[in-house]
Amino acid sequence: MDGLMTGKRECGAASLVLSETTAVPEHLRAGIRELSALVTEEDKRKQGYADALMHTVCYEADKNRIVLLITVKSAGEMSHAKLVKFYKKHGFQELPHKPDQPILMARQAHG
């Protein structure tokens, strides 16, 4: 697989998983990665680890012209609204969805 490699990424106390998506037709998958399981150790939150990790992953996605997708799932104190705001800060946009469906966000490669 060319471009942005899949697998677990870490930056300090934050980690996430990049994988090939099955949400799009097979012929489009090479240019898309799905981001999931973004977590920061509870006692290390609000110290910039998740921001630094997202910055690195977005930089690599831009360099390789890869679109990033994420399904927003609230967890603990992180509501959907807070998560959407966090991802928007990193260039993600909400895709159209029905109120009873999960929020899907995408980030186009920049540069």
Side-chain angles (χ1 to χ4, degrees), residues 1-109:
M1 176 185 307
D2 293 328
L4 189 60
M5 298 301 290
T6 58
K8 186 173 184 178
R9 300 295 180 88
E10 297 177 309
C11 179
S15 65
L16 60 78
V17 175
L18 285 171
S19 56
E20 191 171 317
T21 184
T22 57
V24 298
E26 190 170 342
H27 70 282
L28 298 174
R29 293 179 189 168
I32 300 174
R33 298 292 177 277
E34 190 166 2
L35 189 152
S36 63
L38 174 60
V39 295
T40 302
E41 296 172 23
E42 192 170 342
D43 62 333
K44 305 284 187 189
R45 291 183 183 152
K46 300 194 186 290
Q47 295 181 29
Y49 293 111
D51 277 319
L53 180 57
M54 286 298 297
H55 178 76
T56 299
V57 170
C58 290
Y59 172 80
E60 291 176 18
D62 290 347
K63 184 176 159 187
N64 290 284
R65 314 231 11 103
I66 300 291
V67 173
L68 297 173
L69 291 178
I70 186 159
T71 301
V72 179
K73 299 175 184 173
S74 60
E77 74 216 32
M78 293 301 290
S79 67
H80 279 92
K82 285 182 182 179
L83 289 168
V84 166
K85 183 178 178 181
F86 173 81
Y87 292 120
K88 281 185 176 182
K89 179 172 72 169
H90 292 282
F92 285 79
Q93 297 179 340
E94 284 185 66
L95 299 178
H97 64 281
K98 294 180 182 173
D100 60 335
Q101 292 179 332
I103 298 170
L104 183 62
M105 298 183 79
R107 182 186 183 278
Q108 294 291 325

